[in-house]
Amino acid sequence: MKKRLLPLILAIMMVVAIFAGCGGSEDPATTTTAATTTAATTTAATTEATTTQATTAATTTAAPTTAATTPATTPDPFDLAYSADWDAEQWLAYEQQLDFGGRVFTIAADLGDRSPFAEDGTGDVRNDELSYEWYEMWCQIEEDLNIAIEIIDEIGDLDEFLPWLLAGDNVADVYNIKTHTWFPVYAKGALVKWNSDAMLANGLDINNEQFFYQPFTHAWDINGDTYGARMASKYVPPEAGWVMYFNKGLVASAGCEDLYEVVRNGEWTWDYFLELAGNVTKDNDGDGVNDTWGIATGYLGFGEEVLLNGGKIVDWVDGKLTCMIDSVEALDTYEFLDKVAESGYLCENLTGANATYKEGHQMFRDNQVGFLWSEMSRAVRGLSSSTALTGASMDWGTVPTPKANKDAEYMNILGGVKYDVMFTTNKEQDVSAQIYAAFARRHNDVDVNSCLTRYLQYDEDLDSLDMLENYIFAKPVANWSWCSEEHNDTYRAEVVYKIFDETLAPSALVEANLPVLQNILDQLMGQ
């Protein structure tokens, strides 16, 4: 189903009437997302930039034997061969002299990830100032390039769209989808390389930090090639993986006055985490039922802790995707998870069972749990969902997930996060690349730290901001278990969940499931 933006814009306009309309004096309530006024081929800003560069670069060559001279020659100020050195003003001038004749630029994505018109959780369009500012930027892109931006937000999952993709169909210029969705497309040879010469010739430089957030973009590189792009800004926060949220009051009462300093000293380890979780777990009124719990969500990072221990669940070995759950690092990790499962520190619901993912997040918000091992996306300020941290009844902070031991490294494990990809079935890849490059540059913020406050409970939490900047976003690591939904779901269900829910030893679970998981990888890659 195609989402045209006009109805959504009308909703915003009714609430945000105090703002000036998009495109000067034009009333935004009557402005559709399609560019209603064809952008001039050369705007005033472009004319000025072009004239300045042309005047500086113009040369006159005198003929050696006559008084006649050749006409002045002016180098093309928009020659992309020199674009690596362009600043933001030069890129803007280049973009403004492009004209796509009202072409529709289509993005297949969830509205909440790629549009200023996401719902607020109640079914209404958000009407906050940031959304309106974002909308104004979209209008400017449409005007400058003479395009219309369109979102398709219901293309279905991989099983639904892979058949028509392989049949040669294409419905969008760019797709914003998770790794376990785009990687099988890569395995079928149907993804475009963002770092190809063709993309670069159309102004899309995947290695330019003005366009894309480099650490996340290149985390999933395959044999030196980049297939997924990731921008980052206050409009599109850099989606990260697992972090640790903590209840400041409960953790302090458990004997740790400054968890941030523990992290900075390199002492935030699995053992320290379990000790603190035990101190938080208490029956305060003596009725035999714990009133506070150490840990929310029973499966922690769903087995991704293997990477925190220096191992891999899946890795590339001699060019082949290989299951690594029988490594020493993986087996040690499963023993740690088994210890957590038997600890008695996991929060329980009213029936006495381990709290579900949703219940654990709600109990953390309600001041009943000390530590919540969860995704970074749960903390986006203003997010309205049953697992979001919005509306917490206590002060919480953010630190990286604990590392296996003091000699290990803190890291942020990227699993099911979304990336922008292009399919080879796109018959207008050159045009798509030119428009997408401008779209990405306008959204991306070179100083990614400037938008991390959206992950804080309040702006003044500078310690949590330090954790985000220097211990979480500073070291993204890809978890290749997310190469396919089948692989990741099987790994979780047959290995991780059973560590918590059954009595089988981790080593027995690994022995039973290693060949099953390897077969899934082989089938995926056609090996």
Side-chain angles (χ1 to χ4, degrees), residues 349-365:
N349 58 27
L350 295 179
T351 66
N354 283 349
T356 64
Y357 179 86
K358 175 180 176 180
E359 291 169 339
H361 283 72
Q362 293 173 335
M363 291 176 71
F364 179 78
R365 283 201 313 261

Side-chain angles (χ1 to χ4, degrees), residues 268-303:
W268 179 227
T269 63
W270 289 349
D271 288 343
Y272 192 98
F273 159 66
L274 269 182
E275 180 181 353
L276 270 183
N279 293 339
V280 170
T281 305
K282 293 179 181 178
D283 173 12
N284 295 316
D285 55 15
D287 65 354
V289 178
N290 286 326
D291 301 291
T292 57
W293 299 89
I295 308 169
T297 64
Y299 305 122
L300 299 187
F302 296 93

